[in-house]
Amino acid sequence: MKDSPEIIAASTLVTCDASFTILEHGGVVIFRGQIVKVGPLAHLKSAYPGAPVAFYKHCLLMPALINAHIHFEFSSHKDTFTYGSFEAWLSSVIQHRNAVFHNAKRHIHHAIRAQLQSGVGSVGAISSYGLEREILAHSALRVVFFDELIGSAPYALEQNFKDFQERHARSLKYKSPKFTPAIAIHSPYSVHKELAQRVLERADAHTPISTHFLESHAELEWLESGRGWFGRFFQESLGVANPAPSFEGVVDFLNLFAHKHLLLVHALFARPEHFKHAQQIATQTHIITCPRSNRLLSGHLLEVARLRTLALPYVLATDGKSSNLDVHLLEELRHALFSLPGPLEHNAQDLLLACTAHASKALGLNNGVLQEGKDADLVLFSAKKAHTPLDILLRILQAQKARALYIQGRRVIPGSLSSRHF
Ligand code: MCF
Ligand code: FE
């Protein structure tokens, strides 16, 4: 980290703040890993006359992108799990999960490189086993690391709690400005209520808590009536004698997250009253959508217009290769732009915020906006001109990869990708 201010500027600057400011010939002054000033390049030069200037001609400067939900451990998955139906997918995961951890570490490195090359500076990594913890902690990425709790069997509660505590304690050891340990409750169907309560009672109101929520209609039916596909699945595939959900409905599940910072992932079958309840009880509620994963598993897409009426902005993420074709956030953006209904210009702005400002807030980070006091996580994409959110998004999609990426003021792309971390 340099100990004197430096200016990074480009032909176009996009702040991704609430008013979505776009500046021509704009830049930021960075110092000790943070942004200390934003504005027209001419102003910055006269305010900091001695500062070196990195000017990126025909480029767009914006906050580094954020992929808020990704399962790195499944990075070697290609064609083992069944796509096309959530139920078939889950059955195939239960049957073949271990087969996909072959060569996992090599594929995790690859997935990390894919994030950086596409301009992603921060990730929300969901970890079921901890296979990627150390690799991520030593990578250039800024990481919110969600140790994921799984375990629905009441007789295994004590053991599952102990295993989780051990994994989470290992993550807490890596805590740093670039690595934030956090918690994920896998889902209402795979975690016992008492187990979740015990884990969450120790979590404070600022730790992000993520959960896969109402990703399938079967899950809604299971929570509301204790019947349907999940009943048969527990009985026939997992050998549970008289299966019953440990939660008394959707609201009972949501109540786990009272006074917590909550991230609801997928939420395809959530009703407005569910969202409203979450907003009432949690300190913050964020919705994360992974459109390609959703299309491939349940066939549905999140109805983003419904969220607008609740003033609930959504966050865009790739999910893991376990339920997607790849983990390229730019591909996710492309798919979302073409598939989400509604006015294109409006959607383009929402999508840009969904992987910058809104994703940052969801992960509890101090980046995602070009603003004084924010961490200097910046990305540059080649683009001659861009005047509107749609222009900007289209130019990014055409660029296909980042021209440069800075994390905490340090340039990591282009960088030496052959270092031991890659
Ligand atoms: O988000 C997708 C679909 N919904 C649920 N789980 C997962 C997804 N991608 C990976 N998973 C993992 C999860 O972390 O699949 C396993 C867990 O390790 C399912 S175990 C019930
Ligand atoms: Fe997921």
Side-chain angles (χ1 to χ4, degrees), residues 206-407:
H206 309 292
T207 302
I209 315 285
S210 170
T211 187
H212 294 101
F213 178 64
L214 296 183
E215 183 181 8
S216 64
H217 188 264
E219 180 182 330
L220 179 67
E221 194 182 10
W222 175 242
L223 270 176
E224 292 195 322
S225 69
R227 291 175 191 279
W229 182 83
F230 269 103
R232 295 193 295 280
F233 173 70
F234 278 114
Q235 199 153 29
E236 290 159 23
S237 302
L238 302 181
V240 179
N242 291 302
S246 58
F247 297 96
E248 288 158 32
V250 178
V251 163
D252 190 38
F253 175 72
L254 287 171
N255 285 341
L256 278 179
F257 309 102
H259 314 296
K260 306 285 187 224
H261 177 133
L262 174 61
L263 278 58
L264 295 173
V265 183
H266 306 316
L268 296 172
F269 294 88
R271 291 192 281 265
E273 66 261 30
H274 300 146
F275 291 124
K276 283 185 196 150
H277 188 72
Q279 284 174 301
Q280 272 164 14
I281 57 146
T283 51
Q284 289 190 35
T285 305
H286 302 271
I287 310 301
I288 300 190
T289 190
C290 308
R292 288 188 297 166
S293 167
N294 293 160
R295 272 303 271 162
L296 286 169
L297 267 48
S298 77
H300 287 252
L301 285 178
L302 184 70
E303 289 181 39
V304 292
R306 277 222 217 148
L307 296 181
R308 255 176 227 143
T309 61
L310 295 164
L312 246 185
Y314 66 89
V315 170
L316 183 81
T318 59
D319 221 336
K321 270 184 78 182
S322 28
S323 62
N324 206 340
L325 294 179
D326 58 62
V327 285
H328 297 303
L329 192 58
L330 299 179
E331 280 303 309
E332 205 66 47
L333 273 166
R334 185 191 305 275
H335 178 89
L337 181 71
F338 287 104
S339 59
L340 292 181
L344 211 52
E345 196 66 68
H346 199 146
N347 284 355
Q349 180 165 326
D350 282 355
L351 284 169
L352 288 166
L353 296 174
C355 47
T356 56
H358 295 158
S360 174
K361 195 159 185 243
L363 293 182
L365 297 173
N366 181 40
N367 57 12
V369 184
L370 300 187
Q371 204 172 63
E372 233 179 276
K374 294 286 182 185
D375 290 337
D377 294 357
L378 320 166
V379 66
L380 289 120
F381 289 104
S382 294
K384 275 201 179 148
K385 280 183 293 203
H387 301 295
T388 66
L390 182 58
D391 274 355
I392 292 162
L393 184 50
L394 293 175
R395 296 298 85 80
I396 293 174
L397 296 180
Q398 284 168 327
Q400 294 183 346
K401 60 181 177 22
R403 163 84 172 70
L405 175 69
Y406 293 77
I407 300 176

Side-chain angles (χ1 to χ4, degrees), residues 47-106:
Y48 292 83
V53 181
F55 182 74
Y56 290 86
K57 199 176 166 193
H58 297 321
C59 274
L60 202 91
L61 168 61
M62 61 184 284
L65 304 181
I66 300 169
N67 190 359
H69 183 89
I70 172 169
H71 303 253
F72 281 102
E73 289 171 319
F74 290 87
S75 295
S76 66
H77 176 255
K78 199 169 175 189
D79 52 12
T80 306
F81 303 152
T82 306
Y83 288 178
S85 125
F86 172 81
E87 293 82 350
W89 176 84
L90 188 62
S91 304
S92 70
V93 172
I94 298 300
Q95 230 185 321
H96 304 295
R97 194 169 16 186
N98 292 334
V100 307
F101 297 132
H102 185 62
N103 276 336
K105 296 211 168 151
R106 184 162 60 83

Side-chain angles (χ1 to χ4, degrees), residues 118-141:
S118 53
V120 170
S122 304
V123 293
I126 310 294
S127 174
S128 305
Y129 306 93
L131 301 178
E132 74 293 51
R133 182 190 298 108
E134 208 180 337
I135 306 175
L136 281 172
H138 290 122
S139 80
L141 286 169

